[in-house]
Amino acid sequence: MDEKEYRRRERIREQRKQERIRRVRRQRIIWGVNLGLLLALGLAFTVRGIQSNAAQEREKQAKKKQEEKKAKEPEVISLTISAAGDCTLGTDEYFYYPTSLPAKFEKEGAAFFFEKVKPVFEADDLTIVNMEGTLTEETDRKPNEQFCFKGDKELVNILTEGSVEAANLANNHTIDYGEKSYTDTIEVLEEEGISAFGNETTSIVDVKGIQVGLLGTYELDRHMDCEEEMIQNIENLKEEGAQMIIASFHWGIERANIPNETQVALAHSAIDHGADLVLGHHPHVLQGIEEYKGKNIVYSLANFCFGGNSGPKDMDTMIFQQTFTFTDGKLQEDNVTNVIPCKVSSVYETGVNNYQPMPVEGETGDAILERIRQYTDALE
């Protein structure tokens, strides 16, 4: 091999050596870049994970604080009770039928009767009336009774259409057609979701999670002898978990605007033993409202949807409302009330009872409120 060939081969070897060195360098650079990228990505994911965990922890802590704050805040529940007076959804068989409530029902339908007051009853949480009469097919009338009231079972739809949820049956017309007429009426009401209470039967209604106890007491021919039963019913409701108690009484003297001593004594006794509101009916006219130990006594709610008279001389009535507030299940003493003056007939100017009670405003409404104020002042 001559010197020229030797140098040529040496150049080739050197070139190959340099190429290998460059290739190794390129690979190292690529590996370095890739490793840097991997490290950067790893660091980014690590940082993101730390940030995410931190955010989750912050969210967890914030949620925990909110729950702790909520747990510390008292639970406040308010509920509004509406009460109305005598509802006789029927007639006496000896009354003139064409002007009777059942005849009006046949012509107008169930929704007609409470059409004017339904917005009030729909907006409240519980509506209570006195159901004076029977819904039955029984025909054996109570002997020696001047007036006996009954109606077909379908008349219960007057109450359901009017957003009424509870009815007192402790009154002097609940057995107008015998004991079965009484149990028939209870059955009809309960089937339509209306809580029937009175006499030995009490009821507890769940209103916004608050257990409202209801009892009804018939006083007319028993007077103070009915007190023991009333007290026992209140005690029973307490034992059954009632958080507030409404006591309804059928009492007093017809057409008397001032309660008698028995009414006052029974009302005070009911509150002394645990009632939070006392509602009265039977006089067919308005009486005053007394506040006793921070509780309200409505001595007479008067007539309301009253099929017992097609032309009553006194058509003034009212809806009594009270809003009760509970804090952590305990009744507060805030005593928020509202009296809505009404007429028993929406055509009261004619002197005819069309059995459609309606709220009234202006001078007419003010006159009714003034009457209630006068009767209330007479209690002092």
Side-chain angles (χ1 to χ4, degrees):
M1 177 186 304
D2 59 15
E3 184 178 353
K4 185 178 179 179
E5 180 62 21
Y6 173 78
R7 290 178 178 176
R8 188 184 67 81
R9 291 184 178 182
E10 282 294 318
R11 284 196 302 272
I12 292 173
R13 280 196 295 271
E14 183 64 24
Q15 288 173 355
R16 288 176 178 173
K17 180 181 176 180
Q18 293 300 321
E19 181 62 30
R20 284 196 301 273
I21 290 171
R22 287 192 295 272
R23 189 164 55 247
V24 169
R25 286 177 178 173
R26 284 196 301 271
Q27 289 175 345
R28 285 178 178 174
I29 291 171
I30 292 171
W31 290 343
V33 171
N34 289 338
L35 180 60
L37 289 173
L38 288 173
L39 289 173
L41 287 172
L43 180 61
F45 282 121
T46 300
V47 171
R48 182 175 295 179
I50 293 172
Q51 291 175 338
S52 177
N53 290 337
Q56 289 177 359
E57 184 63 25
R58 286 194 299 271
E59 183 178 347
K60 183 178 178 181
Q61 291 298 324
K63 186 176 181 180
K64 183 179 179 181
K65 288 181 179 179
Q66 287 178 351
E67 290 175 351
E68 289 175 350
K69 183 179 179 181
K70 185 176 181 181
K72 292 178 181 178
E73 291 178 351
E75 181 185 30
V76 179
I77 298 174
S78 66
L79 53 94
T80 298
I81 308 295
S82 296
D86 296 339
C87 292
T88 300
L89 308 184
T91 189
D92 186 290
E93 62 184 320
Y94 299 126
F95 286 1
Y96 183 57
Y97 189 80
T99 59
S100 69
L101 185 145
K104 180 66 74 172
F105 180 86
E106 292 172 5
K107 180 180 179 181
E108 303 288 352
F112 166 82
F113 297 89
F114 281 67
E115 178 185 349
K116 306 293 186 182
V117 295
K118 185 174 181 179
V120 176
F121 294 160
E122 280 187 323
D124 66 22
D125 299 298
L126 177 65
T127 302
I128 306 169
V129 300
N130 175 54
M131 175 65 187
E132 189 155 23
T134 61
L135 300 176
T136 185
E137 296 177 356
E138 292 296 294
T139 57
D140 290 336
R141 183 186 178 106
K142 188 195 304 184
N144 303 318
E145 190 72 22
Q146 183 180 9
F147 302 116
C148 288
F149 300 121
K150 77 169 184 175
D152 292 339
K153 295 180 179 181
E154 63 180 351
L155 292 176
V156 72
N157 293 321
I158 293 173
L159 300 182
T160 55
E161 286 284 344
S163 192
V164 173
E165 291 89 15
N168 169 67
L169 295 182
N171 57 63
N172 56 313
H173 289 287
T174 52
I175 56 171
D176 276 356
Y177 285 80
E179 287 291 338
K180 190 174 185 306
S181 69
Y182 177 52
T183 57
D184 284 347
T185 305
I186 294 174
E187 183 179 339
V188 171
L189 291 168
E190 294 287 351
E191 283 180 353
E192 294 300 324
I194 299 172
S195 293
F197 65 94
N199 302 311
E200 73 284 352
T201 302
T202 59
S203 179
I204 292 183
V205 182
D206 186 305
V207 184
K208 291 183 174 180
I210 300 298
Q211 304 305 298
V212 179
L214 304 171
L215 69 141
T217 305
Y218 174 71
E219 175 270 337
L220 298 183
D221 57 2
R222 301 169 65 191
H223 308 302
M224 290 304 296
D225 289 342
C226 69
E227 183 182 23
E228 183 177 350
E229 176 192 83
M230 177 267 293
I231 294 171
Q232 187 58 57
N233 282 337
I234 290 175
E235 294 302 321
N236 292 342
L237 287 170
K238 289 179 184 178
E239 291 176 5
E240 293 167 11
Q243 293 169 271
M244 66 169 286
I245 294 174
I246 299 174
S248 185
F249 287 90
H250 205 70
W251 58 11
I253 300 170
E254 290 190 7
R255 289 176 289 281
N257 296 116
I258 307 300
N260 59 31
E261 292 180 359
T262 301
Q263 289 175 262
V264 175
L266 285 172
H268 290 186
S269 177
I271 291 172
D272 290 339
H273 289 90
D276 299 295
L277 173 63
V278 172
L279 304 174
H281 28 77
H282 173 68
H284 301 297
V285 292
L286 292 168
Q287 292 184 349
I289 301 170
E290 179 186 10
E291 184 177 334
Y292 173 73
K293 293 185 176 180
K295 312 293 184 179
N296 290 307
I297 303 165
V298 187
Y299 279 104
S300 178
L301 289 156
N303 295 330
F304 200 64
C305 185
F306 188 63
N309 192 335
S310 61
K313 293 180 180 178
D314 190 340
M315 294 195 181
D316 289 352
T317 187
M318 67 169 156
I319 298 170
F320 176 84
Q321 291 188 315
Q322 183 165 352
T323 298
F324 296 88
T325 303
F326 289 81
T327 302
D328 288 337
K330 185 178 180 181
L331 180 61
Q332 303 302 299
E333 297 180 358
D334 45 1
N335 197 14
V336 179
T337 61
N338 180 35
V339 175
I340 303 173
C342 299
K343 291 286 188 178
V344 300
S345 171
S346 62
V347 291
Y348 63 91
E349 301 97 331
T350 67
V352 173
N353 186 6
N354 67 349
Y355 316 109
Q356 187 185 58
M358 64 176 291
V360 287
E361 299 178 343
E363 293 182 0
T364 303
D366 291 342
I368 294 173
L369 293 175
E370 180 58 30
R371 287 186 68 184
I372 297 170
R373 278 191 289 268
Q374 291 176 5
Y375 302 149
T376 298
D377 291 343
L379 296 168
E380 297 178 356

